[in-house]
Amino acid sequence: MTVSFDFKNQTDVYLKGVNPQNEVLWQTRYIKKNPKHKNIGIQLVSVHEEMQKNPKETLKYLDRMGYSYIETFVYKNRSFYGLSPLAFKKLVKDNHLKFMGSMTFYDLPTNDHQAWKKAMNWWKECIEDHKQAGVEYLTISNNQLKEIKTLSELKKYAEYYTAIGKLCKERGIRFAYHNHSDEFKTVENKVIYDYLLENTDPKYVSFQADLHWMHLSQINPIDYFKKYKNRFISWHVKDYKELGQSGKMDFELYFEYAETAGVKYIVAEVEAYNYPVWYSINAAWNYLYFNLL
């Protein structure tokens, strides 16, 4: 008997058994459906091109691979991938996923009163759109840190983030700051990240630790998890290549401190591909599910 495999996509395969006379003896179809009870999320930057081409199919594959929820980074013009908040919420729900988090961006306004008012109005609209979409947390990052020269300048950012966090809390949404590498530079002998942790109100501002960027900056994230307990509601779990395969990062040790850090949302992120994208996305889920959670 000869068995043939016809892969329709990364999660769907048809199998057929035939005898030497090429007569079909049996045939079946296998659809991948990994378990979801460990609540693993994924940042959609990992499948950005796929989402641009076919969001419905992409979300379907993520569901089958075992991801429980998504985090976006594309909020623009009050929409997600060109869809209204309610329409995108429905698309995600129809594919058995939850829309839990969103990276959002609005630079610090100038000292002008009108600029501040405009920024706060933008955030109110942004928060309302995400509330409609069912989102539980918003995050922000900062690409302007290289320009900061004094702590008084940095203080404005801390006040800005606290103001955003207050607006979020009023609508029942968490707000968190997402790091890259510049946060570990110093201003007036103070590490920027430490300053933000110490000068934002924990009632309004949490943090999303990007483990890869911390490691790249030669920072041990465990030091932060122990010093600033329960400030990190989310982690971005990313490696230098497919998750867990670089051998550079001690993820198993990091995860021993997840409870200390206060983590609620574990988000896989894959940007360095050595294999086809869906293999890498599936490998990330496998590593989290079988090795870390």
Side-chain angles (χ1 to χ4, degrees), residues 44-243:
L44 291 186
V45 69
S46 308
V47 286
H48 182 53
E49 291 186 9
E50 289 70 23
M51 283 295 297
Q52 296 286 346
K53 295 174 184 175
N54 195 329
K56 181 179 178 180
E57 287 292 295
T58 301
L59 294 173
K60 179 175 73 175
Y61 297 160
L62 292 174
D63 165 54
R64 289 178 176 179
M65 287 182 176
Y67 288 100
S68 299
Y69 62 92
I70 61 165
E71 180 185 284
T72 65
F73 70 109
V74 295
Y75 176 75
K76 186 178 180 181
N77 298 326
R78 307 197 71 175
S79 66
F80 306 91
Y81 298 99
L83 298 174
S84 71
L86 289 177
F88 187 68
K89 177 182 180 180
K90 183 179 185 303
L91 177 64
V92 174
K93 185 178 180 181
D94 287 349
N95 285 283
H96 315 292
L97 293 160
K98 295 179 181 179
F99 184 13
M100 298 289 255
S102 176
M103 298 191 76
T104 49
F105 309 96
Y106 195 104
D107 289 342
L108 175 73
T110 63
N111 291 327
D112 178 74
H113 173 72
Q114 286 302 115
W116 181 269
K117 184 178 179 180
K118 181 180 178 182
M120 291 299 104
N121 285 338
W122 185 91
W123 279 108
K124 288 176 183 177
E125 287 186 346
C126 170
I127 293 164
E128 189 57 38
D129 289 341
H130 284 86
K131 186 70 176 180
Q132 284 189 25
V135 167
E136 293 189 3
Y137 68 93
L138 297 181
T139 66
I140 193 171
S141 62
N142 190 332
N143 63 3
Q144 300 175 303
L145 295 178
K146 289 187 179 70
E147 303 168 12
I148 297 175
K149 304 301 180 183
T150 66
L151 289 180
S152 61
E153 293 175 83
L154 190 54
K155 181 182 178 183
K156 295 176 183 178
Y157 283 97
E159 293 171 344
Y160 181 47
Y161 298 144
T162 296
I164 299 168
K166 286 181 179 179
L167 293 177
C168 285
K169 187 169 184 179
E170 289 172 3
R171 297 298 288 128
I173 292 177
R174 303 287 297 272
F175 177 72
Y177 181 87
H178 177 95
N179 70 278
H180 290 107
S181 186
D182 290 339
E183 285 78 7
F184 304 102
K185 301 179 183 300
T186 58
V187 174
E188 294 184 15
N189 297 316
K190 184 69 174 180
V191 177
I192 291 174
Y193 203 49
D194 295 39
Y195 183 92
L196 293 176
L197 279 155
E198 294 166 8
N199 290 275
T200 52
D201 193 328
K203 294 195 301 292
Y204 306 119
V205 182
S206 298
F207 287 75
Q208 181 181 65
D210 190 306
L211 303 179
H212 173 262
W213 279 108
M214 284 182 157
H215 188 272
L216 192 66
S217 306
Q218 299 183 338
I219 296 297
N220 185 349
I222 294 172
D223 294 339
Y224 279 94
F225 303 151
K226 291 194 294 186
K227 185 175 181 180
Y228 302 100
K229 296 179 180 178
N230 297 310
R231 289 302 301 273
F232 301 88
I233 63 166
S234 175
W235 289 354
H236 268 199
V237 186
K238 180 171 64 175
D239 204 343
Y240 292 84
K241 46 200 298 190
E242 276 67 29
L243 191 57

Side-chain angles (χ1 to χ4, degrees), residues 240-258:
Y240 292 84
K241 46 200 298 190
E242 276 67 29
L243 191 57
Q245 294 187 19
S246 76
K248 296 181 179 181
M249 300 176 66
D250 195 345
F251 289 107
E252 293 188 12
L253 182 58
Y254 299 160
F255 271 72
E256 291 180 13
Y257 291 87

